[in-house]
Amino acid sequence: MRTVLLQSLRRHLRRYVAAAIAVVVAVAFVVAVGVLTTGVRTGITAGAGSQFAGADHVVRDLGTQNAITYAAQHGDDVAVLGSATLPLRAGAEQAPGKFVGNIAAAPRLRWQTLDSGRFPERTGEAVVDVWTAQDMEISVGDEITLGAGSTAADLRVVGIVAASANLGQAAVYVTFEQLLNWRDDETLLLDRAVVVGDTGPLPDGATAVTPEEHAAESMAQHTNNVNVLSLLLLVFAGIALLVSVLVIANTFSILFAQRVRDLALLRCVGATRRQVMGSVRREAAVVGVLASLVGVAVGTGAGYGLVALVDALTRQSPLSAPARLPGWWLLGGFAVGLVVTAVASWLPTRRVVRISPLAALRPDGAVDVRSGAGRNRVALGALFLAGGVVLLAVAAVRDSTVSMVAGGGTLFAGVLLLGPLVVPRVVRVVGALLGPGGRLATENAVRNPRRTATTTASLLVGVTLTTAVLTGLATTRASVDANHGTAHPLDVALTSWTGPLDAAALDRVRATPGVGEAIAVDGVLVDLAGAEGAGSGGAGRPLLLLGAPDADQVARDGGAFARVEPGTVALDADVYGEDPAERLGDGTAGTVTASAGGDGEHDVAASPVQLRVTTGTGWGGAGIVAPETLTDLGTPRTYAVWVRASADADPVALLADMDTLADDIGADVDNGLRAEVADHQMLGTITAATLGLLGISVVIALIGIANTLGLSVLERVREHAMLRALGLTRRQLRRMLAAEAVLLSVTATLLGTVLGVGFAWVGYETFVQAALDAATWRVPWVQLAAVLPVGALAGLAAAVLPARRAAAVTPTAALTLD
C-alpha cells in the first residue's frame, strides 16, 4: 500500500494540491479570525476602555480609603482611577460641574493622548480635554479654578488632551495627590485601580479582572447589558468553524468522488478494507498535518496584515494588532484542519469499502429521493432546516446569542444537505434566462446534482456572509443613529440669552465648513414664578422658550423632540433634572407659570401662562414649546440657530468654528457632537471587525469555488473530450464552462442573499433590539443589488484557469485518461 500511495501521489499530484489548498485556506481562516477577534479586544481596550490599556489587571470595588492605601503600597505600579464633579472657572467662562479625573504617575498607565503641551508633574498643574478647551476657550498656559469655597484650587493648564471617545473621558485631569484635596467632597469616587504585574493581596470586597473583561462589561452597561465583545467572539468563532468545515468537506467530497474507481480497483486486485482505510488515513494525516502547519502560518500573517490594513484605512483606528499571538486560536485552527481532514477523507472511503468492488466501479448517480440514501439525505436536511428555524426563533424571542449561532449553523447545514435537490432547480430557472445558447451549460450543470451543489457551496457561504454583514451593518448604523438622535437630537445649538440674534447670524452659520443644515429658531424670554432666581434654575437670567415647527430639517430624531402639545414646555433633563417642575415651579404639581417680558422691547402676554412640564434630552437650557404657545407668550424673535453637521465634518474643528462664531454673535454653544463620536466608537470597532471578516470570507469563497471548479474539470476530462470529438471547438468549450460557472454563481448568489438577509434579521431581533432602545431595521437594497453581478463575475473569474486547462487537452489525449 505504501507503493500505491507513492504512485498515487506522483500521478494525481493536482488532487493532493487541491486538498492541501482547502486545508490551508480553512485553517488560515480560523487563525486569521482569531487574530482579528484578539485585535477587537485590544481595540476596545484602547478605545472605549483605553484607561485600562496599559494595565495587566483592573481592581474594582475598592472604596476611597482602601484605594488610597492600595495605591500607597504599590507605588507607580498602581494607578487609581478617581473622579469628582467640581465647579470649573476659566476666565469669564463658568461651569457648575465638570468631571475631573487624575493622571497616572507611570507613563505606561497614562491612557490620555496629548494634543499639545505636556502632562502635569506637580501640584498646581492640570491638563484639559480638548472638548472642554473648545467650549470654555482654554489654552496651554491659562489659569483655571477647580472647586469652590475652601477647597477651590487655582491651576495652570500645561497641556490639552486629545479627544477620546471612551467611557471614562473627563474635562480636567490633575495628579492623584491633587485629586485627594477633594477627598471630603461627596462626588469623589475612588473605586477602581489599574495594576501593572501582580495585584498582590486585595482589600476586603475588592475583585480583580483583566482590562478586556472590564472594558466589555463597561460597554455592556451602555448597551442594555448586552456584551458586544462576547457576541463578536462567539459569532466569529462559529462562522470560522462552519466555513473551515465546509471548505475542507466540499473539496474532499469531490476528490473522493474521483477516487471511487481507484479504490474499487484496489479492492478488486486484493486489497482488504483495512488496508484501503489505513492508506487513506495515512494520506489524510500527512496532508492534514503539513497543510495545517502552513495554514497556521498563513493565517497569522493574514490576520496581522488585515488588522494593520483596517487600522491604516480607518480614521478612528478601532482595531489594534495584538501584542501576543492568540495561542488557543492557533491550536484550534491546527486541530480543526487535522480533525476535519481525517473525517472528510474517512466518510467517503468508508462508504466505498462497505459496498462490493464491482458496484463501486459503477458511476455515482444523482441523488434520488426514491432511494434509501436519497430519502435519508432529504429527511436529515429537512430535520436540520426545521431545527435551525426553531433555534433561530428561540434566539429572537429570548435574545439568546448561543441559539442564534447554533440555529444559523444548523439551518445552513440543512440547506447544504438539500442542495442536490434545490440547486439544480434554481439553475434550470436561471439557465432559462440565457436562451438556447446556455442550454448545454445548464444541462451539464444539473446532470450531476451533488457535484453542482458542492461546487456552489463555497460561494454560497461567501455570499451569505456578505449579505448578512452588509444588512447587519446598515441596520446597526441606522439603529445607532436613531438611538443617538433620540438622546441628542441636535449636533450644535447656538443660543442667545441676552436678546435676539442678528439677521445675518444664520447665513454665517451656514457658511461655516462642516455645517450640513442650519435653521433659525424663534423664541421668547420668560420669567418663571416660584423659581429660585430667574429662569434656568437660578442662573441669573430668564428662561428662553423656543418653538421650532421645522426642526425636522436638522434634528437627528426627525424633529420629534420639538413637537410638544400646546400648553406644554419640554425641558432638558440633563440641565434641569428629572423633575424640573419641582425645582422651577410655583407649587402646582407638574407645571410652571411663565411670565413673559424678558427683553423689554417687544409685545408680551397680558397675563402669566401656566405650562405643563415634560422632559427630554439633547437640546440644552432652552425650553421647547408649541408655536401657538410661543405666540401666546409674546412676539417671537430669532434667539437660536440649530445646526446639523455634514457627514464628512470634523467634530472638533466644527465646534472650534462654532465657538468663535458664537462669541461674535453673542451666543452660547450646546454640543451634541461629542456624544455622537462616543456612540460611533463601538460601531467603528464592530464595522472594522466585520469588514475584516467579510474580506477573509470573500477570499475564501473565491479560492473555494476555483478549487472545486478545477476539481470538477479534472473529474470531467473524458466528458469534455467527447464534446470536442463531436465538434465542439476550444472557444465553445471555454464559453460553455464560463456560462456554467456564471449559472452556478448566480444561483449561489440568489440563495445566499435570501439566507443572508434572513440571518441579519434574526441578528437584529436577537442582538440589536436588545442592545439599543431605538433599533431600526434597514436593508441596503443598492448594496445587495450589487452583490449579484459581483458574484457572477467572481464565478466567471474562478472559471478562467479551469476552462483554459480543459480546452488545452486534445480529445485523443483526454479519452485515454482514467
Side-chain angles (χ1 to χ4, degrees):
M1 295 302 294
R2 181 180 304 174
T3 302
V4 171
L5 172 61
L6 294 176
Q7 289 298 322
S8 177
L9 180 61
R10 183 183 62 82
R11 183 176 177 81
H12 301 295
L13 182 60
R14 287 181 181 177
R15 294 179 180 177
Y16 290 99
V17 170
I21 289 175
V23 178
V24 168
V25 166
V27 173
F29 183 64
V30 174
V31 174
V33 168
V35 176
L36 186 67
T37 53
T38 307
V40 172
R41 281 183 176 270
T42 309
I44 288 176
T45 303
S50 58
Q51 60 267 56
F52 321 122
D56 297 314
H57 299 90
V58 178
V59 179
R60 305 183 295 190
D61 304 321
L62 282 168
T64 300
Q65 190 55 50
N66 283 340
I68 296 173
T69 303
Y70 189 72
Q73 292 173 345
H74 290 77
D76 290 348
D77 289 338
V78 168
V80 175
L81 299 178
S83 65
T85 304
L86 303 171
L88 172 63
R89 185 172 70 253
E93 298 288 338
Q94 299 186 55
K98 284 291 187 179
F99 195 53
V100 180
N102 63 290
I103 292 286
R108 173 180 173 180
L109 296 176
R110 290 176 183 167
W111 55 274
Q112 302 88 347
T113 302
L114 280 175
D115 184 64
S116 60
R118 61 176 176 82
F119 285 113
E121 299 172 353
R122 58 185 65 88
T123 301
E125 296 180 343
V127 292
V128 178
D129 166 49
V130 67
W131 294 99
T132 304
Q134 295 281 6
D135 291 341
M136 302 186 69
E137 299 181 358
I138 300 173
S139 302
V140 174
D142 289 351
E143 297 290 332
I144 62 174
T145 300
L146 273 180
S150 61
T151 62
D154 294 328
L155 306 171
R156 187 170 68 90
V157 177
V158 297
I160 303 297
V161 181
S164 177
N166 60 67
L167 305 176
Q169 184 70 29
V172 181
Y173 297 94
V174 297
T175 62
F176 181 62
E177 290 74 16
Q178 289 186 98
L179 187 64
L180 293 182
N181 292 335
W182 292 280
R183 70 174 64 196
D184 295 328
D185 192 291
E186 62 180 10
T187 65
L188 181 65
L189 183 64
L190 301 174
D191 66 335
R192 295 173 300 168
V194 290
V195 183
V196 175
D198 187 53
T199 61
L202 297 178
D204 292 340
T207 58
V209 296
T210 65
E212 293 85 357
E213 291 171 342
H214 187 74
E217 292 175 11
S218 298
M219 290 182 65
Q221 294 175 4
H222 292 258
T223 53
N224 295 336
N225 291 320
V226 175
N227 194 322
V228 178
L229 184 57
S230 295
L231 173 75
L232 285 174
L233 291 175
L234 183 60
V235 170
F236 284 8
I239 291 175
L241 181 62
L242 177 63
V243 172
S244 61
V245 170
L246 288 177
V247 168
I248 296 175
N250 286 341
T251 302
F252 272 84
S253 66
I254 292 180
L255 281 173
F256 279 91
Q258 297 172 358
R259 295 186 61 186
V260 166
R261 293 174 59 85
D262 293 345
L263 298 176
L265 285 172
L266 288 175
R267 293 288 313 285
C268 287
V269 298
T272 64
R273 294 181 180 181
R274 184 175 181 179
Q275 287 175 321
V276 172
M277 293 294 292
S279 175
V280 170
R281 288 195 187 102
R282 285 190 292 272
E283 291 179 30
V286 171
V287 172
V289 170
L290 296 179
S292 295
L293 289 174
V294 175
V296 168
V298 171
T300 302
Y304 276 90
L306 184 62
V307 171
L309 178 63
V310 172
D311 186 64
L313 297 178
T314 306
R315 185 171 58 184
Q316 293 183 352
S317 298
L319 300 182
S320 297
R324 291 175 294 183
L325 289 174
W328 287 109
W329 282 93
L330 300 184
L331 292 175
F334 181 82
V336 166
L338 194 59
V339 173
V340 176
T341 299
V343 174
S345 61
W346 176 72
L347 287 177
T349 311
R350 183 171 178 268
R351 180 172 59 85
V352 171
V353 298
R354 289 181 61 181
I355 61 178
S356 67
L358 293 178
L361 285 172
R362 290 195 295 267
D364 190 18
V367 174
D368 188 353
V369 296
R370 293 169 296 181
S371 67
R375 286 193 297 269
N376 291 338
R377 187 185 185 98
V378 171
L380 187 60
L383 180 63
F384 276 26
L385 277 179
V389 170
V390 170
L391 286 172
L392 292 177
V394 170
V397 172
R398 297 189 177 182
D399 299 333
S400 171
T401 305
V402 175
S403 297
M404 181 183 70
V405 174
T410 303
L411 189 145
F412 202 86
V415 171
L416 293 178
L417 285 172
L418 294 178
L421 297 180
V422 176
V423 172
R425 287 166 172 77
V426 180
V427 168
R428 286 193 180 278
V429 173
V430 176
L433 302 178
L434 298 180
R439 184 179 303 168
L440 183 58
T442 302
E443 292 301 324
N444 273 332
V446 302
R447 190 174 60 82
N448 192 322
R450 183 173 296 175
R451 181 179 61 201
T452 300
T454 301
T455 306
T456 60
S458 296
L459 189 60
L460 179 62
V461 173
V463 172
T464 300
L465 286 177
T466 300
T467 306
V469 166
L470 292 177
T471 307
L473 287 179
T475 297
T476 303
R477 182 168 293 278
S479 299
V480 169
D481 288 342
N483 211 61
H484 168 76
T486 301
H488 305 280
L490 296 177
D491 289 344
V492 183
L494 282 71
T495 308
S496 171
W497 293 87
T498 57
L501 292 173
D502 185 85
L506 179 61
D507 292 334
R508 296 182 63 184
V509 170
R510 287 175 171 170
T512 303
V515 173
E517 296 287 343
I519 62 169
V521 184
D522 291 342
V524 171
L525 288 167
V526 302
D527 293 326
L528 297 182
E532 299 176 3
S536 286
R541 60 186 180 185
L543 176 65
L544 177 64
L545 299 183
L546 301 173
D550 53 352
D552 59 303
Q553 297 179 27
V554 293
R556 300 247 175 214
D557 68 344
F561 83 99
R563 291 191 285 269
V564 296
E565 296 292 329
T568 300
V569 58
L571 296 173
D572 194 326
D574 290 339
V575 178
Y576 297 97
E578 293 296 334
D579 191 2
E582 180 179 352
R583 175 178 173 184
L584 302 175
D586 55 3
T588 305
T591 65
V592 294
T593 301
S595 300
D599 59 20
E601 298 180 5
H602 307 97
D603 296 335
V604 298
S607 59
V609 177
Q610 192 175 63
L611 302 173
R612 297 184 303 275
V613 177
T614 62
T615 59
T617 59
W619 61 84
I624 307 297
V625 297
E628 48 266 48
T629 302
L630 201 63
T631 304
D632 292 341
L633 287 166
T635 303
R637 306 282 288 180
T638 299
Y639 277 87
V641 175
W642 289 349
V643 177
R644 179 165 183 160
S646 60
D648 58 349
D650 182 341
V652 177
L654 178 58
L655 260 296
D657 292 339
M658 289 293 101
D659 280 333
T660 302
L661 179 58
D663 288 341
D664 292 343
I665 64 178
D668 292 344
V669 178
D670 289 302
N671 171 18
L673 285 175
R674 178 174 180 176
E676 182 180 10
V677 172
D679 284 346
H680 281 267
Q681 168 134 20
M682 182 179 70
L683 179 61
T685 301
I686 295 173
T687 301
T690 50
L691 287 178
L693 175 65
L694 176 59
I696 298 174
S697 65
V698 169
V699 173
I700 294 294
L702 290 175
I703 294 175
I705 193 170
N707 209 23
T708 50
L709 276 174
L711 290 172
S712 177
V713 168
L714 287 176
E715 182 182 359
R716 297 159 59 188
V717 169
R718 293 174 65 84
E719 299 174 21
H720 298 155
M722 184 64 70
L723 291 173
R724 291 289 311 283
L726 292 175
L728 202 68
T729 66
R730 291 183 175 181
R731 175 177 293 182
Q732 289 173 327
L733 178 60
R734 288 197 297 267
R735 287 180 177 178
M736 183 197 73
L737 291 174
E740 185 177 338
V742 171
L743 277 175
L744 298 179
S745 300
V746 171
T747 299
T749 302
L750 292 175
L751 292 176
T753 300
V754 174
L755 288 173
V757 172
F759 289 153
W761 180 82
V762 174
Y764 164 76
E765 292 287 334
T766 304
F767 165 60
V768 179
Q769 284 196 331
L772 300 173
D773 294 326
T776 303
W777 170 247
R778 183 71 53 83
V779 179
W781 296 110
V782 175
Q783 293 177 338
L784 296 187
V787 172
L788 183 61
V790 170
L793 290 175
L796 187 60
V800 171
L801 288 179
R804 289 177 62 87
R805 185 181 302 124
V809 181
T810 62
T812 54
L815 288 172
T816 62
L817 294 175
D818 190 10

